[in-house]
Amino acid sequence: MNKKLTICILLGFAALIGHCNAQSIRLTSYRSHTNVTLDLNRVYNYNIYERNRWGLGIDLVQPLKYDKRYGALFQNAFLGSAYVGYGTGDHAWKYGGMVGLVFPRSVFRGFDIYYQHDLLRVGSHSFDNYNIFNTTDNSSYFSSRYAGVDCISAHTQIDIPGPAMLHIGYIHSRERLLFDATGLLYPSIYDDDAMPYQTFDEAGFDLYWGDHWKLGVLAGVTDGDKTKRYARVLAQYSNRFDFGDKAGSLRLFAQGGSVATDNTPLSRRFDIGGTGGGFYYFNNTFLTIRPNTFMADAFALASIRYTSGWSLWKTTVSEPHPFVQLNALWGVMYGKSVVDGTGTYALYGTEPTKYIALTAPFAGLLEPCIGIDGLLHWGVLDLGVAAAYQMTPKKTSYHLDNFLDKFAVMCVAKLII
């Protein structure tokens, strides 16, 4: 299916369910202490590998012993969830489940155990989960590089002093890449596409400090073709400053990360490609960089956006607010084979198709963007337009000479619920 048509179908689907005011629908009576909900984020998703992904997810919260002194959100409870999904592109089923206990009034907030037979996005550096209503944050629609994974994991959550929350976890998984140098692989359709599995054992933590700072640390070992030990760290800051109705708002987003060794598996490095080639504007990504363009062992990116408080005009169907944005990106790869920011990664074996070329933006990249929000109110959608341009040093391996390759015009569409 054409990518643009698929995104249009997605926006139409979001409009149809836009009357919902949460990411779940309660299936049990509000008078019941047992809470069973339908997870709307499991109903539909999209990416270039699976194409349209349809599914179903059910969540359960059962108080251990209901205490009338506290509200429904502060009961010690048993947690359970299960989901199933099917991709129309890879013709494969995914499924998983979780059981756990939660103690919301305790420093030790609880623990859980997960099992999943699903996909893992290679090189992901996002702390946030998919949200079907947050269309402008779902840049994963343009993802195509995944690994098939079977994993079991255990997590615990600790409320430490100050505005902080600590998540600690251990994961044991078996994974295989679903792409090589020639393109995407579909072992669920073609037996010859099946690549060898690797086994991973990993431990790590995510530290959340208030609403703006996040830190993730991961260390692991994998057997693969030979045993490799690796570690990686990822930090993020995000904030929005509102200056009033007339002065507008400023949004800041920054990330930085690094792996410890140049033998870090490909899936644990950082894919810093963007959504170039699409017609839809996304937050916190690079609008002129095509997917899978850059991979890095260490990277830093930043985005600053100012949206005006005043509108060009105001009617019942249109209230356009201009905005300006600047994105910046830098990345590097480790290892002796890296020349001018480029290198190769040996997937498996020595055949040419088992090596994949990698490029990092070692000399940096800038991307200015201008746009207009709220040009048209259409149902639950707020539509606008934006344009972005890519600026790179001319002598770098990733510089683009063609003006149109560096330029993007996009639709800005936000779901208003």
Side-chain angles (χ1 to χ4, degrees):
M1 182 182 291
N2 181 276
K3 183 195 306 180
K4 294 183 178 181
L5 177 60
T6 304
I7 296 295
C8 288
I9 293 173
L10 171 65
L11 293 176
F13 175 79
L16 289 175
I17 64 173
H19 65 278
C20 299
N21 58 9
Q23 298 174 44
S24 60
I25 297 176
R26 183 163 179 144
L27 302 179
T28 52
S29 168
Y30 282 94
R31 291 176 294 182
S32 172
H33 295 160
T34 300
N35 185 6
V36 179
T37 57
L38 173 68
D39 186 352
L40 294 178
N41 290 329
R42 298 289 185 184
V43 174
Y44 180 81
N45 200 344
Y46 175 85
N47 58 68
I48 296 175
Y49 182 80
E50 292 177 284
R51 299 295 173 173
N52 301 288
R53 171 166 168 160
W54 298 94
L56 180 68
I58 300 293
D59 298 321
L60 165 70
V61 179
Q62 174 63 57
L64 299 178
K65 183 179 180 180
Y66 197 85
D67 191 332
K68 294 181 179 180
R69 295 175 299 172
Y70 305 100
L73 298 179
F74 296 93
Q75 301 293 323
N76 295 336
F78 169 81
L79 304 179
S81 68
Y83 75 89
V84 63
Y86 181 80
T88 61
D90 61 345
H91 298 181
W93 289 95
K94 295 88 182 178
Y95 47 85
M98 178 273 291
V99 293
L101 295 173
V102 61
F103 310 105
R105 306 188 306 274
S106 171
V107 172
F108 172 65
R109 291 297 181 90
F111 64 91
D112 53 63
I113 298 175
Y114 275 86
Y115 170 76
Q116 289 181 298
H117 171 80
D118 211 323
L119 300 183
L120 168 74
R121 184 179 175 186
V122 168
S124 175
H125 50 94
S126 174
F127 285 96
D128 302 316
N129 296 322
Y130 167 75
N131 182 340
I132 195 170
F133 297 117
N134 231 356
T135 51
T136 54
D137 287 338
N138 293 336
S139 59
S140 59
Y141 292 150
F142 282 74
S143 303
S144 64
R145 288 182 174 176
Y146 287 88
V149 57
D150 290 281
C151 76
I152 185 167
S153 59
H155 310 85
T156 187
Q157 183 173 310
I158 301 173
D159 186 5
I160 59 180
M165 187 67 67
L166 182 65
H167 297 255
I168 303 173
Y170 167 78
I171 304 172
H172 173 77
S173 62
R174 186 184 71 150
E175 302 174 13
R176 63 180 177 187
L177 295 178
L178 298 174
F179 64 94
D180 64 10
T182 63
L184 303 182
L185 303 174
Y186 292 93
S188 55
I189 302 175
Y190 310 106
D191 292 338
D192 292 343
D193 279 359
M195 294 186 73
Y197 279 102
Q198 287 181 274
T199 300
F200 293 80
D201 285 282
E202 299 172 311
F205 68 85
D206 290 335
L207 175 65
Y208 298 84
W209 188 270
D211 297 327
H212 309 302
W213 293 94
K214 299 177 182 179
L215 174 69
V217 176
L218 180 73
V221 59
T222 177
D223 56 8
D225 51 351
K226 61 179 181 179
T227 300
K228 297 178 181 178
R229 292 176 174 80
Y230 57 91
R232 83 172 202 165
V233 61
L234 176 67
Q236 176 179 300
Y237 173 79
S238 63
N239 206 348
R240 172 177 168 142
F241 303 91
D242 290 309
F243 305 123
D245 293 340
K246 297 297 183 181
S249 64
L250 186 71
R251 192 186 68 216
L252 301 177
F253 180 84
Q255 273 192 342
S258 178
V259 300
T261 65
D262 60 355
N263 1 326
T264 300
L266 190 65
S267 59
R268 302 317 190 256
R269 298 184 181 194
F270 301 103
D271 180 351
I272 48 177
T275 59
F279 79 111
Y280 187 57
Y281 171 93
F282 292 97
N283 292 325
N284 306 330
T285 189
F286 286 79
L287 308 165
T288 61
I289 300 176
R290 291 184 174 270
N292 309 327
T293 298
F294 294 128
M295 182 71 72
D297 291 330
F299 81 100
L301 63 85
S303 176
I304 180 170
R305 169 175 162 164
Y306 171 76
T307 303
S308 70
W310 52 269
S311 59
L312 299 177
W313 59 79
K314 186 174 183 179
T315 68
T316 56
V317 295
S318 180
E319 188 179 347
H321 292 262
F323 69 85
V324 294
Q325 177 175 293
L326 180 65
N327 294 337
L329 175 66
W330 170 87
V332 66
M333 289 189 299
Y334 304 145
K336 297 179 181 179
S337 63
V338 178
V339 179
D340 192 28
T342 64
T344 58
Y345 180 85
L347 299 176
Y348 293 100
T350 57
E351 300 175 31
T353 57
K354 302 303 182 185
Y355 284 79
I356 189 166
L358 304 176
T359 301
F362 66 98
L365 181 150
L366 291 176
E367 184 186 76
C369 175
I370 59 173
I372 300 176
D373 274 335
L375 197 58
L376 175 65
H377 301 307
W378 179 45
V380 296
L381 289 177
D382 197 347
L383 302 174
V385 65
Y389 182 73
Q390 183 182 134
M391 302 171 63
T392 56
K394 288 186 177 180
K395 294 184 179 180
T396 58
S397 57
Y398 54 90
H399 175 74
L400 302 173
D401 292 320
N402 190 324
F403 173 83
L404 293 179
D405 292 337
K406 299 182 286 185
F407 184 70
V409 176
M410 298 146 291
C411 168
V412 181
K414 295 187 293 185
L415 198 62
I416 308 299
I417 301 174

